[in-house]
Amino acid sequence: MQNTTRFSDRVDDYRKHRPTYPRAIIEHLFEAGYLFEGATVADVGAGTGIFTRLLVEAGLDVIAVEPNAPMAEALSAEVDAPRCVIAPAEATTLDDASVDLVTAAQALHWFDPLTTRAEFRRITRPPHRLAAVWNRRDTTSTPFLVEYEALLRSHGIGYVALMAGRDELEASLLPFFGHD
């Protein structure tokens, strides 16, 4: 199944059950100089707009780029203000040097690394910045979380394989980042 269509039947689940991200991420991006007043951000692989909403609430000019039409429709219905483009990360249709920052929340691993790297470089203004964001669930800080993780590992269908895939994520992104 294509990555651009595999989530079409999951829109309601994403809207109801996907966690948001800490607002501290946005604060960090401002403090680090990745974001500034008047910045234009392309939130690529925006899904239903969970991260997009945080960018919009921070007063940024946001372009949501999402290849899946049902996800993009949900985003447009629920998040005020962003422009929404239905396109893949590898061919966003955005103008050259039109954004200050690209964000990809829980999505970068779905993109073709080399093609997407070239596309992001094309659409960003120097210094060509990307903020890749993932939520990671705490599995060890309380007895409940330790036991919950054990339950998922012993009874969760495909959970062990999913976690192994996450552990390999960093290595899979090396072609995207190259020497940078």
Side-chain angles (χ1 to χ4, degrees):
M1 179 178 282
Q2 292 282 336
N3 289 344
T4 57
T5 57
R6 73 181 298 144
F7 298 100
S8 294
D9 62 350
R10 301 175 194 176
V11 173
D12 286 336
D13 290 337
Y14 269 58
R15 288 175 49 228
K16 292 176 188 172
H17 306 295
R18 286 290 273 212
T20 189
Y21 300 87
R23 292 188 190 284
I25 295 170
I26 304 300
E27 294 166 15
H28 171 73
L29 292 173
F30 272 102
E31 290 167 6
Y34 279 52
L35 289 176
F36 48 87
E37 189 175 327
T40 300
V41 180
D43 187 26
V44 182
T48 59
I50 297 168
F51 193 71
T52 310
R53 176 177 280 114
L54 295 177
L55 295 165
V56 169
E57 289 172 355
L60 299 162
D61 177 22
V62 182
I63 306 164
V65 180
E66 171 55 44
N68 182 281
M71 288 278 191
E73 289 168 15
L75 183 154
S76 293
E78 294 187 27
V79 180
D80 292 334
R83 291 172 277 164
C84 191
V85 175
I86 298 175
E90 297 82 0
T92 65
T93 74
L94 302 181
D95 292 336
D96 292 357
S98 60
V99 300
D100 299 296
L101 175 67
V102 171
T103 60
Q106 303 287 134
L108 193 65
H109 58 288
W110 292 112
F111 311 155
D112 176 80
L114 298 178
T115 308
T116 301
R117 178 185 167 109
E119 177 68 357
F120 287 2
R121 193 160 183 75
R122 182 188 70 75
I123 67 172
T124 54
R125 292 184 264 276
H128 308 289
R129 291 189 162 154
L130 164 69
V133 178
W134 281 271
N135 271 327
R136 292 288 180 124
R137 187 172 44 78
D138 180 358
T139 60
T140 61
S141 66
T142 69
F144 171 81
L145 291 173
V146 170
E147 289 182 35
Y148 182 62
E149 179 69 9
L151 175 75
L152 290 173
R153 288 190 175 277
S154 63
H155 298 293
I157 298 171
Y159 184 77
V160 172
L162 175 67
M163 291 299 103
R166 282 192 180 169
D167 293 342
E168 297 167 8
L169 177 63
E170 186 174 324
S172 74
L173 295 177
L174 287 176
F176 183 87
F177 289 102
H179 67 281
D180 299 336

